[in-house]
Amino acid sequence: MEKFIDLISRRVSQAFEEAGLEGSLGKVTLSNRPDLCEYQCNGAMPAAKKAHRPPLELAESVAEKLQGEAMFSKVEAVKPGFLNLTVSPSVLRDYVAGMATAPSFGVEPEAAPKTIVLDYGGPNVAKPLHVGHLRSAIIGESIKRIDRFFGNKVIGDIHMGDWGLQMGLIIEEVHERHPELPYFDPTYTGEYPAEAPFTISELEEIYPTASAKSKVDEDFARRAHDATYRLQTGDRGYRAMWKHIMRISTEDLRKNYDNLDVHFDVWLGESDAQPYIPPMLETMKAKGIVTESEGALVVDVQEESDTKEVPPCILVKSDGATLYATTDLATLVQRMKDFQPDEVLYLTDKRQALHFEQVFRAARKGGLVPEHVVLKHLGFGTMNGKDGKPFKTREGGVMRLERLIGEITDYVRQKITENQVVSAEEVENTARLIAMAALKYGDLSNQPTKDYVFDLERFAAFEGNTGPYILYTIVRIKSILHKYSAAVALEAMQPAETKEAKDLMLALTRLSDSLQVAYTDNAPNAICAYIYDLAGAANKFYHETRILAEPDPAKQAGYVALMDLTRRVLETCIDLLGFSAPERM
Ligand code: ARG
């Protein structure tokens, strides 16, 4: 469907032309004086400059062309030359009723759907998930859903950190504790045990222990490096041990991401890129862009227009080791081959911006990625504590994701138990849904690049600009709809008779504008801002209108149709943000 504001602009542009003025000046915007009108057009001002005539006179001549026009119930030219527009309730009704029956509420899909690889989550295997990975998962999941809503094909890849030194550290630590295991016996030729020699909780203890040890014990650090090397060069026993680590950790990761309602399409990682490294290096060398610098192989990526230094992208270190950038370049080769994407989008902390700049430039220079393929890094800010520093536990440690979710859920459970609206069997699930809304909306309502402060009481409040407030609005609407005995008839929608009904309808028409911004700018915060407004309009309407007590059945059916559409729009929007509403709260 054409956007409502475009529909109006088109009609006003036509009137400009009829008045002998340039049509493009008839562009309409939302009124910044909602007390006077709903939309406005300021085009008479620039038109007046060109024509050397008073703007008010021109605005009046356009207004004249619009008199009697069905789209508006009122058109006024006011000083110094504004056009104030009020739309007709029946045109608005028809538009909103059209939204109610159109697929995707009439939001136009992408004209040329793209294939997008979305690299998000990015957890490091065997290290517990912490809040630093939280934002990547939350923002990425929302962007994935938004991109799909517009008809694109999106491949969400978790891109695990599963190949670096952390693996060597774990293997070496297990080696020290259990030297008798067959993985460490080079003469062993039999099958390795199917069961891992550790559980996930042991694994989570092993890594920090080993990491701390490597910092004080040089010999251990060297052995861990050797173990990493042996793993990477294909040692049979070390590979078998690595597989155990992978299986146990991915099971745990999957559980954590499922709890967050974050779902990846492919579970690839740095290890999967390894086979692509040698051919990638060959391609780069053949292009003649690889140079040697102090024994390392590098690609110079500085560009003339750079105002600051962009260091060369290091492909291979002097000791033969490959790095983060090497893996990312090889991963691009794999992605081009397996998915032929039009766009590859990466979601990490914004402190990785330089890394991605180097990788993208090296990939372009090496011809690994065709010109038309868009490479984009979406760097986000930090989630801070109330002290303005990166969020920590009360004891000052790194906050684990599981614990954070647990704490929010506990807080919400307490609250809804006190309210006593939710039955005992429903409490757990409801608390979980509200906790997710609090956490995700608290994050997504900020511009991704900004840092924000995690504030449990504020995020979990049932009033204000919060996820739970949005859920509360949906739950209220659902409760009215439950009490209404007849079926909801979408065609029963009536022209608005009150300001509250009209404001709600006008808010509904803006859905497409907001989703479009969220989509083009990778900005889920645009959806949050929209549903906060929509929920506000819905609550005002609900307060001022007797819905269930309305004696006129046609009017009542109209109210119900409007409430139902509002609920559906809100539920669609929160689904795009990655959470959902309970039945009661
Ligand atoms: N594992 C990395 C980290 O914890 C994030 C990976 C992001 N994706 C990528 N292709 N580099 O920082």
Side-chain angles (χ1 to χ4, degrees), residues 459-476:
F459 285 11
F462 285 17
E463 297 95 41
N465 191 2
T466 71
Y469 166 71
I470 306 292
L471 297 192
Y472 197 62
T473 307
I474 295 172
V475 164
R476 265 181 151 173

Side-chain angles (χ1 to χ4, degrees), residues 42-212:
N42 305 345
M45 259 73 80
K49 271 219 180 91
K50 278 190 195 155
H52 303 289
R53 281 167 61 196
L56 186 61
E57 194 186 302
L58 296 187
E60 274 165 352
S61 70
V62 175
E64 204 170 293
K65 302 286 175 206
L66 290 171
Q67 293 313 321
E69 161 60 48
M71 190 173 279
F72 304 107
S73 55
K74 195 162 127 199
V75 179
E76 262 184 332
V78 298
K79 272 187 208 157
F82 295 125
L83 273 171
N84 286 355
L85 305 163
T86 302
V87 298
S88 110
S90 65
V91 167
L92 183 59
R93 178 253 164 232
D94 291 349
Y95 189 89
V96 174
M99 282 178 72
T101 48
S104 305
F105 308 108
V107 178
E108 287 296 323
E110 172 67 68
K114 294 175 279 189
T115 299
I116 302 168
V117 171
L118 195 64
D119 180 315
Y120 72 114
N124 298 316
V125 165
K127 301 191 199 173
L129 274 183
H130 59 74
V131 296
H133 293 111
L134 178 69
R135 294 208 75 193
S136 182
I138 292 181
I139 303 170
E141 181 69 18
S142 178
I143 290 179
K144 182 184 80 180
R145 294 180 185 204
I146 295 167
D147 286 353
R148 284 198 180 141
F149 182 87
F150 279 88
N152 300 286
K153 178 175 171 197
V154 188
I155 299 131
D157 181 359
I158 184 167
H159 201 75
M160 289 176 282
D162 59 359
W163 201 239
L165 179 62
Q166 84 253 32
M167 293 299 179
L169 285 165
I170 294 169
I171 296 177
E172 194 45 37
E173 180 65 22
V174 177
H175 187 183
E176 256 193 31
R177 295 183 191 188
H178 305 285
E180 73 289 356
L181 289 173
Y183 310 93
F184 307 113
D185 174 2
T187 62
Y188 185 78
T189 52
E191 291 271 318
Y192 292 107
E195 277 297 303
F198 38 66
T199 63
I200 183 69
S201 18
E202 281 162 341
L203 201 53
E204 285 180 354
E205 171 270 317
I206 291 172
Y207 173 74
T209 308
S211 165

Side-chain angles (χ1 to χ4, degrees), residues 119 122-124 133 159 161 270 324 328 335 346 348 352 355-356:
D119 180 315
N124 298 316
H133 293 111
H159 201 75
E270 295 180 359
Y324 191 38
D328 268 332
R335 287 177 175 161
Y346 298 81
T348 76
Q352 294 195 26
H355 161 76
F356 284 105

